[in-house]
Amino acid sequence: MCGVCGCGEGHSHSHDHEHSHDHHDHDHHHQHNAEHAHAPGLSQKRMVQIEQDILAKNNRYAAENRRYFGERGMLVLNLVSSPGSGKTTLLTETIIRLKGELDIAVIEGDQQTARDAERIRATGVAALQINTGKGCHLDAHRVGHALETLQPKNHSVLFIENVGNLVCPSAFDLGEAHKVVILSVTEGEDKPIKYPDMFHAADLMILNKTDLLPHLDFDSEQCIQYAKQVNPRIKILSLSAKTGEGMDSWLRWLKAELELQRIDYA
Amino acid sequence: MTNPLGADLHLPEGCMAGIAMHEMSLCESILQVLEQQAEVQQYNTVKTVWLEIGALAGVEIEALRFSFDIVVQGSLADHAHLEIIEVPGQAWCMPCSRNVVVQHLYDLCPHCGSHQLQVNSGDQMRIKELEVE
């Protein structure tokens, strides 16, 4: 998988993380500078044109992942939200409804613990937990290595449950077909304009926990208007993963998207 | 939460310990590019880094400066100066059929009030050039 980084196959995730940060290189550069210190007054300063996207490295891994998914006709969804929006419950309820019909695998991203992966595995589906430690998002490199372990099947659905965070994951492409942003009605209808980057980057917004609406002052119309203000192309589904209300539309969306991935383009 | 900058810093949800993790990870990406380019372009130290940051890139400039100084400590860019070129946001308004200036992703067209805006500039985060030795 890692033709891009050259760090070899089958490495553990903790190793990958160290590798991707290249901290072991620092000393080398430092010593190098000291050895080649120039005589005072003889400045060797020069300008170097770079013109490189700050996220170019992540984007290269993401392109590699996207190629891998494309070759296998997989549907890959990057699920993003703030903590506590009900991502994992939505996932387990989705898996329970689809697992006899579709091949499904899950990558779980959290700063700590394997609790979410355990919840997914309890449904009988393969799940791999990535702990990002201090990191606030999954990156394409770690996802690439997770694929080596997970070995998802052709024409399968891969859910990547990102770290609960409405900021950083918006900038890090993982190679997914779509970012799906989940917003629960307990959060306040102005989230789309408070965290516009994520809603701008997502193709689908799921308004979750609609069973709680009678107990809240949440203004769904206003929330949808804010989301469309930030992203005129965003599609919106309202559902309750707990009661199952609205789940049918989500499952139909999912199957339609998978069908699109299965088309073998020339 | 204590703000290490003493300024009006908006800490994002999911951000920890008073330091904006988003800008921190962007700085780690910048350092990776500097280290990788050191071999290609044959330099040992970086003195100045010019970044082009769009108004719609979701980057808090002060947090970026703060994080940069921390991330480059002990690296080839230790004490490097950061120059930031801010690029205004621009979007194509569908009803008006022209480009308009926007400050935020949730802005409406300043002329017709439509939200049918397609961002076409100001979301970039690029390393433009370096002063090296």
Side-chain angles (χ1 to χ4, degrees):
Chain A
M1 184 68 219
C2 219
V4 189
C5 78
C7 71
E9 293 186 14
H11 283 208
S12 72
H13 301 292
S14 56
H15 184 95
D16 298 338
H17 191 63
E18 287 161 22
H19 188 97
S20 69
H21 285 77
D22 285 331
H23 286 310
H24 50 271
D25 279 345
H26 298 176
D27 286 346
H28 171 75
H29 286 295
H30 222 54
Q31 285 161 10
H32 200 66
N33 295 344
E35 284 160 19
H36 294 272
H38 296 289
L42 271 179
S43 176
Q44 301 288 313
K45 278 186 190 172
R46 62 190 164 99
M47 302 300 289
V48 173
Q49 299 290 320
I50 295 264
E51 290 290 345
Q52 208 178 108
D53 197 297
I54 290 175
L55 297 173
K57 191 174 175 186
N58 182 73
N59 291 343
R60 278 198 299 277
Y61 294 131
E64 180 71 13
N65 292 349
R66 193 162 277 121
R67 189 186 57 77
Y68 176 102
F69 301 142
E71 283 171 1
R72 289 161 181 76
M74 293 168 60
L75 172 64
V76 182
L77 301 177
N78 182 358
L79 307 184
V80 290
S81 79
S82 45
S85 67
K87 279 194 301 297
T88 314
T89 302
L90 174 65
L91 255 183
T92 53
E93 290 302 317
T94 303
I95 291 165
I96 288 166
R97 286 165 172 80
L98 289 178
K99 69 175 181 180
E101 202 177 333
L102 305 176
D103 287 314
I104 299 172
V106 178
I107 295 173
E108 281 288 339
D110 278 302
Q111 288 197 319
Q112 299 295 342
T113 83
R115 295 174 72 95
D116 280 358
E118 284 157 16
R119 280 174 69 185
I120 300 296
R121 284 188 204 113
T123 67
V125 157
L128 188 80
Q129 182 81 46
I130 300 177
N131 282 138
T132 57
K134 290 198 180 81
C136 48
H137 59 270
L138 289 174
D139 62 51
H141 184 226
R142 305 189 111 201
V143 168
H145 282 296
L147 296 172
E148 293 165 2
T149 311
L150 209 51
Q151 298 281 330
K153 295 193 174 121
N154 289 358
H155 306 304
S156 62
V157 181
L158 173 65
F159 294 103
I160 304 173
E161 186 180 335
N162 219 312
V163 178
N165 174 353
L166 276 177
V167 183
C168 314
S170 69
F172 287 80
D173 184 9
L174 305 179
E176 72 275 356
H178 303 288
K179 282 191 179 72
V180 177
V181 63
I182 295 135
L183 179 64
S184 88
V185 298
T186 56
E187 292 180 61
E189 58 270 342
D190 53 0
K191 275 271 166 85
I193 53 169
K194 280 167 128 177
Y195 298 91
D197 298 297
M198 188 60 90
F199 291 84
H200 189 74
D203 295 318
L204 177 69
M205 172 172 114
I206 291 181
L207 208 50
N208 192 19
K209 306 191 189 176
T210 52
D211 55 300
L212 295 175
L213 277 173
H215 312 286
L216 303 166
D217 293 329
F218 188 86
D219 186 343
S220 299
E221 290 287 313
Q222 180 68 71
C223 180
I224 289 167
Q225 196 189 318
Y226 282 147
K228 291 196 166 167
Q229 189 175 324
V230 172
N231 179 359
R233 291 162 292 110
I234 200 165
K235 293 184 172 64
I236 297 162
L237 293 172
S238 298
L239 58 83
S240 164
K242 191 177 174 188
T243 66
E245 187 191 3
M247 283 291 283
D248 275 355
S249 295
W250 157 238
L251 299 181
R252 272 164 44 216
W253 181 89
L254 235 157
K255 287 179 197 170
E257 287 296 328
L258 177 60
E259 207 52 52
L260 288 176
Q261 304 300 325
R262 285 176 170 178
I263 297 170
D264 289 323
Y265 292 105
Chain B
M1 197 178 283
T2 321
N3 177 349
L5 300 173
D8 187 18
L9 173 65
H10 305 284
L11 297 176
E13 196 152 317
C15 159
M16 307 186 318
I19 294 170
M21 283 303 299
H22 183 50
E23 282 72 13
M24 202 65 132
S25 54
L26 293 178
C27 288
E28 284 175 354
S29 297
I30 294 170
L31 181 58
Q32 283 172 14
V33 174
L34 301 183
E35 288 175 342
Q36 176 238 327
Q37 286 290 316
E39 289 173 31
V40 182
Q41 310 263 14
Q42 298 286 307
Y43 57 79
N44 300 319
T45 49
V46 177
K47 296 293 179 189
T48 313
V49 179
W50 277 266
L51 298 181
E52 192 178 75
I53 305 287
L56 307 174
V59 177
E60 197 72 39
I61 302 291
E62 283 314 307
L64 190 73
R65 289 186 182 283
F66 180 79
S67 305
F68 182 80
D69 292 344
I70 295 172
V71 168
V72 299
Q73 272 174 24
S75 79
L76 79 175
D78 202 352
H79 293 106
H81 185 65
L82 196 58
E83 289 282 352
I84 294 177
I85 308 156
E86 295 185 50
V87 183
Q90 181 183 279
W92 178 260
C93 175
M94 308 250 208
C96 294
S97 290
R98 63 163 160 169
N99 280 324
V100 296
V101 175
V102 288
Q103 315 292 333
H104 308 102
L105 288 173
Y106 53 80
D107 281 354
L108 302 173
C109 172
H111 304 291
C112 73
S114 167
H115 60 73
Q116 296 287 328
L117 299 176
Q118 195 95 45
V119 172
N120 54 25
S121 179
D123 55 355
Q124 66 266 58
M125 298 186 273
R126 293 180 68 78
I127 305 174
K128 290 288 286 182
E129 55 181 347
L130 309 174
E131 184 188 31
V132 298
E133 260 182 350

